[in-house]
Amino acid sequence: AVLESGVADAKLVHLALHASVNTRAPWETQLRLGDGPLALRRVLSLKLGAQLVLLSACQSGVGGDGSGSASLARAFQLAGARRVLSTLWRVSDLATAVVVKRFVRELARGRDPAVALQQTRLALIARWPHPAFWAGLRLHGL
């Protein structure tokens, strides 16, 4: 598939697409790519060197048991990503786009991803105080 061949050497991977979490069979949780689904078990076979993977897909940080232990985010980490920014619930496409755009801008300023996420949240809280707009993303990894 296209994803497997295009991410091996990338330092930053951003996947803005849809996901489906399968609570009965967490290994069947998947991202919906243009050329077909990418199941969690296939993510584990990727060979990544990415410093950061951005998953702008609903519930990408949630596992079948709700803990995140069998989540897409965890699978990307096990495949080699140092850090993964994922979502914790069904997020608004528009709100997530605003958060990710601001987050990437903070990264471009040379900020560490954790600091970039904190600065992004602070800026967005001032404009949209309800957590639904800015709290749906979580950074995994050190």
Side-chain angles (χ1 to χ4, degrees), residues 26-121:
W27 298 109
E28 295 303 319
T29 292
Q30 61 186 269
L31 294 170
R32 296 184 202 145
L33 303 175
D35 63 346
L38 177 65
L40 183 143
R41 65 176 179 256
R42 259 184 60 212
V43 171
L44 292 169
S45 69
L46 296 174
K47 304 290 186 237
L48 299 175
Q51 292 297 307
L52 180 63
V53 172
L54 307 176
L55 294 177
S56 300
C58 290
Q59 299 177 299
S60 56
V62 178
D65 62 357
S67 72
S69 60
S71 69
L72 288 162
R74 184 71 179 131
F76 274 93
Q77 283 185 287
L78 292 171
R82 181 170 177 224
R83 291 181 171 167
V84 178
L85 185 70
S86 67
T87 61
L88 298 172
W89 54 72
R90 291 177 193 251
V91 292
S92 155
D93 288 344
L94 180 58
T96 303
V98 170
V99 171
V100 170
K101 182 177 179 180
R102 179 70 185 234
F103 176 74
V104 170
R105 191 178 307 149
E106 293 292 333
L107 290 175
R109 291 182 176 146
R111 297 194 195 276
D112 176 81
V115 174
L117 184 58
Q118 178 187 34
Q119 292 301 312
T120 297
R121 286 180 174 159

